[in-house]
Amino acid sequence: MSRRLLAAGHPVTVSDPSRELVDALVAVGTRAAGSAAEAAQDAEVVILSLPTPAIVEAVVTGEEGVLKTARPGTTIVDMSTGDPGTARRIEAVCHAAGVNFLDAPVTRGVAGAEKGTLLIMVGGDREVLEAVRPVLAVLGSEIVHVGGPGSGQVVKLCNNMLSAIN
């Protein structure tokens, strides 16, 4: 996803505990940050893709988290698969800080990410989604607003359940 954003002309700053991953992305033009707070400092849009809801919460609200430096009006787009309760809790904390939050999990895997054909299921404020849609359109061919905060996670979990059943 970082490579697609770079190719579309978006400046990208990355933060990740994996030095190898950061170095690989710096080699193709991203800027490295030492923390999520540093990465978010001048960002209009912060995109997260993380392995667990607890990590998402820590990256947004923790000691070195995005909310430490994000300016009012910044939009956080969480593309991780998580749970609706965590998404709603994070959205409430962000809202209180004047920061927008969308839960926007994806499907179609690595191939979809590489081709920019992800399906992005977005929960949160529709106007906020429309403001960041041009950025998300670089990553996904289908961007669907599915309801309020946490709704993206509900739809993603239903999608996963149906896939497992099939």
Side-chain angles (χ1 to χ4, degrees):
M1 290 189 286
S2 294
R3 287 179 177 91
R4 288 199 57 78
L5 291 166
L6 283 170
H10 295 285
V12 177
T13 301
V14 296
S15 174
D16 194 278
S18 167
R19 191 73 225 165
E20 184 178 305
L21 173 64
V22 171
D23 289 345
L25 289 171
V26 167
V28 297
T30 69
R31 184 172 92 52
S35 68
E38 183 184 335
Q41 194 164 8
D42 296 316
E44 293 177 26
V45 179
V46 175
I47 298 175
L48 309 176
S49 183
L50 299 165
T52 70
I55 293 172
V56 171
E57 197 157 16
V59 164
V60 174
T61 66
E63 197 64 33
E64 296 286 321
V66 172
L67 289 181
K68 292 294 180 192
T69 59
R71 296 167 296 173
T74 299
T75 298
I76 300 169
V77 181
D78 177 23
M79 301 185 91
S80 315
T81 298
D83 66 89
T86 299
R88 290 181 190 118
R89 192 168 50 252
I90 294 170
E91 190 279 337
V93 172
C94 288
H95 182 78
V99 172
N100 302 309
F101 181 84
L102 299 172
D103 57 294
V106 300
T107 64
R108 300 189 180 146
V110 173
E114 289 172 348
K115 295 177 186 174
T117 58
L118 293 170
L119 165 60
I120 306 171
M121 299 156 276
V122 183
D125 186 278
R126 183 182 299 272
E127 288 180 21
V128 172
L129 167 59
E130 294 311 317
V132 298
R133 185 178 289 274
V135 174
L136 297 180
V138 172
L139 306 174
S141 56
E142 292 181 71
I143 303 163
V144 182
H145 182 256
V146 295
S151 297
Q153 298 300 338
V154 170
V155 173
K156 174 64 188 268
L157 294 172
C158 290
N159 180 72
N160 286 0
M161 183 179 64
L162 289 171
S163 294
I165 289 169
N166 285 328

